[in-house]
Amino acid sequence: AQRVTQPEKLLSVFKGAPVELKCNYSYSGSPELFWYVQYSRQRLQLLLRHISRESIKGFTADLNKGETSFHLKKPFAQEEDSAMYYCALQGAQKLVFGQGTRLTINP
Amino acid sequence: SAVISQKPSRDICQRGTSLTIQCQVDSQVTMMFWYRQQPGQSLTLIATANQGSEATYESGFVIDKFPISRPNLTFSTLTVSNMSPEDSSIYLCSVVASGDTQYFGPGTRLTVL
């Protein structure tokens, strides 16, 4: 079975501080992992995917198969990063989402 | 990428009635999905809308409650039948485009009284 766990429902950090949103997964096959973001009053959109290994808006995420994790990180948070973040796992043509973490960046 | 629109954007319905939600994509796509996001919850896959054949439903979702149509590669509908307050959710359409990236529509916010 596919399962994605985001242990923090809420995360609040100050502007300029580092951010780490945790994501752990469970999947017997070879996982493909994504981070989606939903800004206030906007639709859900793809932030990044592990196979592209790129940095988007300063965010990076590394797949750690040993720890079955795909944590999202940014060294210096900005106020515009405040949003809902979802970790998702693609397996067997089905995308499974975690519960989401609401990130608030305080000025 | 793909541009996805949904109609209606929101609706308030009475218990026992049905609502059909439309999803339109600006390009032909093979894979099309319907999700539900209940208040304070994450997204849950309802079904995969297959063009030319019956939709594939996830565990806990049945065709009688959520009939889906997919007449072509750019359009699909989801009907929420015999609604109850527990059906109050945001319903989202999504498609796979640009390789295997999934894009989401703006959602339909449904409130059942």
Side-chain angles (χ1 to χ4, degrees):
Chain A
Q2 301 169 225
R3 190 167 65 243
V4 177
T5 304
Q6 292 178 250
E8 304 139 327
K9 288 192 87 169
L10 302 169
L11 183 63
S12 182
V13 302
F14 285 101
K15 178 181 172 182
V19 174
E20 183 179 49
L21 289 83
K22 292 187 175 9
C23 172
N24 289 89
Y25 67 90
S26 173
Y27 184 56
S28 56
S30 184
E32 192 168 344
L33 285 142
F34 304 82
W35 277 98
Y36 281 82
V37 60
Q38 188 166 27
Y39 300 102
S40 179
R41 301 182 188 281
Q42 294 187 28
R43 69 182 66 190
L44 193 66
Q45 58 186 282
L46 179 67
L47 180 62
L48 54 79
R49 55 193 301 178
H50 89 270
I51 61 171
S52 61
R53 302 185 66 81
E54 58 190 342
S55 174
I56 304 293
K57 300 185 179 184
F59 284 98
T60 59
D62 290 317
L63 177 61
N64 185 323
K65 290 187 178 180
E67 296 182 358
T68 59
S69 69
F70 188 57
H71 303 328
L72 183 68
K73 300 178 184 179
K74 184 169 182 176
F76 307 104
Q78 299 171 291
E79 288 186 64
E80 54 264 34
D81 295 329
S82 293
M84 193 75 182
Y85 291 81
Y86 293 96
C87 182
L89 183 153
Q90 176 81 46
Q93 293 195 327
K94 177 177 161 179
L95 195 61
V96 173
F97 286 84
Q99 291 297 308
T101 298
R102 182 169 297 283
L103 176 64
T104 302
I105 307 303
N106 300 307
Chain B
S1 65
V3 178
I4 306 168
S5 60
Q6 285 185 233
K7 286 182 184 179
S9 59
R10 58 177 61 222
D11 207 343
I12 300 173
C13 301
Q14 295 296 321
R15 180 196 299 259
T17 62
S18 298
L19 175 72
T20 295
I21 303 167
Q22 298 179 5
C23 176
Q24 180 75 53
V25 191
D26 69 340
S27 58
Q28 293 187 338
V29 293
T30 304
M31 305 293 289
M32 213 161 179
F33 305 91
W34 285 98
Y35 285 82
R36 180 175 74 180
Q37 187 174 24
Q38 293 177 299
Q41 303 293 316
S42 185
L43 286 81
T44 302
L45 181 64
I46 297 171
T48 303
N50 301 308
Q51 196 267 329
S53 64
E54 202 168 274
T56 305
Y57 289 84
E58 296 298 308
S59 175
F61 297 97
V62 294
I63 188 171
D64 290 346
K65 177 66 176 177
F66 298 102
I68 288 170
S69 79
R70 177 92 191 268
N72 56 52
L73 293 176
T74 64
F75 185 79
S76 177
T77 66
L78 168 75
T79 299
V80 186
S81 303
N82 188 24
M83 288 184 284
S84 66
E86 293 71 37
D87 294 320
S88 297
S89 291
I90 297 173
Y91 292 85
L92 298 111
C93 169
S94 80
V95 304
V96 174
S98 300
D100 54 355
T101 299
Q102 220 167 313
Y103 297 90
F104 286 82
T108 295
R109 184 180 293 273
L110 171 62
T111 302
V112 184
L113 302 177

